[in-house]
Amino acid sequence: MVQITWDRWAVPTVVGKDEFDVTYGVGYAQAQTNAALVLELYGTARGEAASRWGPDFLDEDTFTARLGLKAQTDMWVTAQQAETLARIAAFCDGFNQACADHPALGAGRREVLPVEPRDVIAHVLRVFVRFATMDPAGLAFAPDALLTSAGSNGWAVSGQRSTTGHAQLIINPHLAWQGYHRWFEVSTSHPGRDFHGAMLIGLPWHNLGSSPAIGWGHTVNPIPNLTVYGLHTDDSNHYLFDGEVRPLQTVEHRIDIRGQDTVTVLERRSVHGPIVTAPDGVDVAVRVAGSLHHPATSALEGWWRMSLATSVEELFATHDAMPLPMFNMIAADAHGSIGALYCGTPPALKSAVFEDTRRRLPGNDPRWLWHAVHPASDMPRVINPASGWVQNCNDVPWLFTDPPLDPAQYPNAIAPDVWQVDDLRPYASRTWLAQQPSISPQAMLGLKYTKRALLADLALDDLCAAAAASEDLRRAVDVLTAWDRHCHHDSAGYVLFLMWGLLNVAGLPHHTLLKRPAEPGTMPGPLLEPDKAVETLRTAVTTLTALGVALDASIGQVCTIGEGHNAIPADGGSGVLGVLKSLELMPASTQDRMRVLLGDTYISHVRWGDKGTRQMDNLLVYGNTTESSAPSATSQYPVWAADTLRP
């Protein structure tokens, strides 16, 4: 018999006699809290959303058709183990039963019912493909702010370094606050498995969290799963490869659109993979390791089995046997051990350097066509480093701990070099960790909630000194001089510095904004070209003025989080500035206002203790529910605003 109980935050605890009871209960609970969202995601994964909900979904259905995701889903389903499919089927049964018991659930999206295991697998595949096709340079896909800004933090401290004598872990993904990026928090228990954590919405079991024995979190890693090939094609659907003209493979897809005429989308393939039209109008072929080519079809089962591990070593071995196609893993266990792992099976490009994975490769040259991937066991990792800590803030795996890992010990072209850190969070994180003789739980939570803008400490004095002679910037200089260099809700001047920082973000990985540090992972600075920095300050002033935002605006003045009586002034800041309490903004449609793009989502601070005890404080910033009829929930925004967690 499945038991589901709800706490005041609408976080369910699901208890059952076995794994099928528990996954049934998770499906039931997800439907009670997020039915319409999950059904929309499944309908999109089927590639049939436009036929149900109109032309706003045509781009998603076109994406499905051009990449051949329906056929790829069939292959993923066939590759699943029987026990995996049985567990997913139980999840679907629970979801369908909740919708049958509560006819108001999923209003506007119920035509997707009933959901089936294939829907779950299609959604899993789509999530991996969407993450893998993050393409900031627009080599094949249009950059999407919701994807290219995806990030996370993760920290683990060993029992030897912790003041408690036991390991600590902070799980802290930062993703968009909408769509498939949303998290669902749940606690589950059946004989042999007791796990609390979160899964991306629509997935049937945890992707991260902790048991009495083990815990881990994920951060987005720069693994080069996407390879883009330039092609020489002609109007007759032929292309050049290895000196020969070859025909493209083509499949015609008809996409029905509610209220409009059916459209035809042509799926084209070369020897490399699917062909898409890049933002600059050029046809390119894409090869996507881990999802479309050499797919990591056991990844979902791998997450389940990782939750059964009893040590960091066993956790990493489980991953290597059933690897994820992407993400870092930051882990700790009840024995006091910690570890960090660069997950995935990236393509084996024998003579390439990492920069080759960030350009279009010549599609006519067979030497660039990869046919194998590196085994997960070859990926960078560290267990119980002498430093007593591991961390990742979306930086390179070489900086998991101190001293840095040696890239020469690992396959080439799997990650950027040690200098290519593209925001300041890793510097803030590593510098603080290295300075602590020992780390208490209170101090570790304080690290996570750091709201000081490191970039201001490195560059603001030079910027203000250089701008002081410009009469038109006098007000801006006065504001920045008086600013407290934090992003509290009332820190006047933060928004102006944020705008200046965003205009200069491209200079961080190329070391054109701040002087390159003497040693990898150590603090950069000072400002290299103050005159250019003054010009971008002038642009920042002009931009804010055009938006109707005061130069001395605080984040709380331009952005609120929550709705109605739950709305409160925002605080937190951008990783570009080195802020670890994450809240990334973008202009809203209303003048003088901004809205949240992404930021802190799920946070869990896990501490193990004597005799196998475990203490957790958790938070899901935006809450667990999107359905109006969901169990009542106390807003978690005030908890986050107070820099605390739910005990």
Side-chain angles (χ1 to χ4, degrees), residues 463 466-467 470 473 500 529-539:
L463 173 62
S470 300
L473 294 177
W500 178 83
E529 299 185 83
D531 290 344
K532 288 186 177 180
V534 170
E535 287 305 311
T536 52
L537 178 59
R538 186 169 284 112
T539 303

Side-chain angles (χ1 to χ4, degrees), residues 71-407:
Q72 190 71 0
T73 296
D74 293 338
M75 188 277 294
W76 273 65
V77 171
T78 301
Q80 301 306 306
Q81 296 184 6
E83 60 190 291
T84 309
L85 290 174
R87 217 181 292 116
I88 297 172
F91 170 86
C92 293
D93 289 345
F95 191 98
N96 292 328
Q97 188 61 53
C99 291
D101 292 344
H102 306 280
L105 290 177
R109 298 292 183 261
R110 287 179 64 91
E111 57 266 49
V112 176
L113 290 167
V115 301
E116 301 175 349
R118 188 183 189 282
D119 295 320
V120 177
I121 298 299
H123 176 55
V124 171
L125 170 60
R126 192 178 192 86
V127 169
F128 285 146
V129 171
R130 279 298 191 185
F131 272 103
T133 55
M134 286 194 234
D135 191 5
L139 298 177
F141 300 95
D144 185 335
L146 293 179
L147 296 174
T148 57
S149 300
S152 299
N153 298 330
W155 297 276
V157 175
S158 70
Q160 291 183 333
R161 194 71 184 273
S162 173
T163 58
T164 67
H166 301 278
Q168 300 182 57
L169 171 70
I170 288 187
I171 302 167
N172 181 210
H174 307 158
L175 294 176
W177 288 14
Q178 63 191 61
Y180 70 88
H181 279 201
R182 283 185 70 99
W183 294 95
F184 179 72
E185 183 182 2
V186 61
S187 186
T188 60
S189 180
H190 68 81
R193 185 179 182 272
D194 179 0
F195 204 86
H196 186 107
M199 65 275 286
L200 290 172
I201 195 73
L203 271 62
W205 47 80
H206 300 93
N207 309 134
L208 43 76
S210 64
S211 73
I214 191 73
W216 77 87
H218 289 309
T219 61
V220 174
N221 64 349
I223 196 160
N225 285 345
L226 174 66
T227 312
V228 181
Y229 296 91
L231 290 180
H232 299 283
T233 58
D234 59 28
D235 293 337
S236 59
N237 281 326
H238 288 75
Y239 68 102
L240 184 65
F241 180 75
D242 197 16
E244 297 180 358
V245 176
R246 299 190 178 194
L248 293 172
Q249 294 179 323
T250 59
V251 179
E252 193 174 275
H253 298 270
R254 293 176 60 80
I255 299 178
D256 294 328
I257 307 171
R258 182 176 179 178
Q260 294 187 7
D261 294 337
T262 297
V263 300
T264 299
V265 173
L266 192 64
E267 175 190 351
R268 299 178 296 160
R269 289 178 173 271
S270 67
V271 67
H272 314 83
I275 294 172
V276 298
T277 302
D280 61 1
V282 174
D283 283 347
V284 296
V286 296
R287 200 164 180 82
V288 189
S291 53
L292 301 186
H293 302 87
H294 293 269
T297 54
S298 62
L300 187 59
E301 178 66 21
W303 266 317
W304 178 271
R305 296 197 186 187
M306 285 190 282
S307 71
L308 304 175
T310 59
S311 67
V312 171
E313 291 85 350
E314 185 180 352
L315 179 74
F316 288 1
T318 301
H319 168 268
D320 289 350
M322 294 185 163
L324 300 172
M326 57 195 63
F327 308 135
N328 295 299
M329 195 185 307
I330 304 296
D333 66 30
H335 308 292
S337 293
I338 59 173
L341 171 63
Y342 190 72
C343 301
T345 54
L349 285 163
K350 295 181 180 178
S351 59
V353 295
F354 185 78
E355 287 70 21
D356 290 324
T357 71
R358 293 295 183 261
R359 67 182 179 92
R360 289 174 183 161
L361 300 177
N364 62 336
D365 188 343
R367 292 174 297 179
W368 288 103
L369 180 61
W370 55 265
H371 298 281
V373 295
H374 295 290
S377 57
D378 283 356
M379 292 301 100
R381 67 196 63 208
V382 60
I383 297 177
N384 290 330
S387 68
W389 55 264
V390 293
Q391 68 87 46
N392 186 265
C393 299
N394 307 119
D395 44 316
V396 294
W398 326 122
L399 298 179
F400 278 150
T401 192
D402 197 38
L405 279 63
D406 180 5

Side-chain angles (χ1 to χ4, degrees), residues 606-625:
V606 189
R607 288 93 70 204
W608 285 270
D610 295 331
K611 299 179 181 179
T613 59
R614 171 189 49 151
Q615 182 177 349
M616 294 176 295
D617 296 326
N618 305 294
L619 188 70
L620 185 59
V621 177
Y622 42 63
N624 228 18
T625 67

Side-chain angles (χ1 to χ4, degrees), residues 550-610:
L551 296 188
D552 62 352
S554 67
I555 187 172
Q557 289 174 317
V558 301
C559 182
T560 55
I561 54 176
E563 297 178 357
H565 68 278
N566 289 324
I568 60 174
D571 76 342
S574 175
V576 170
L577 309 184
V579 176
L580 294 174
K581 183 175 185 179
S582 175
L583 197 70
E584 303 286 353
L585 305 181
M586 67 181 301
S589 56
T590 305
Q591 191 180 38
D592 82 3
R593 303 296 295 169
M594 304 187 88
R595 66 181 180 88
V596 177
L597 174 64
L598 57 86
D600 281 343
T601 51
Y602 181 64
I603 308 170
S604 184
H605 185 189
V606 189
R607 288 93 70 204
W608 285 270
D610 295 331

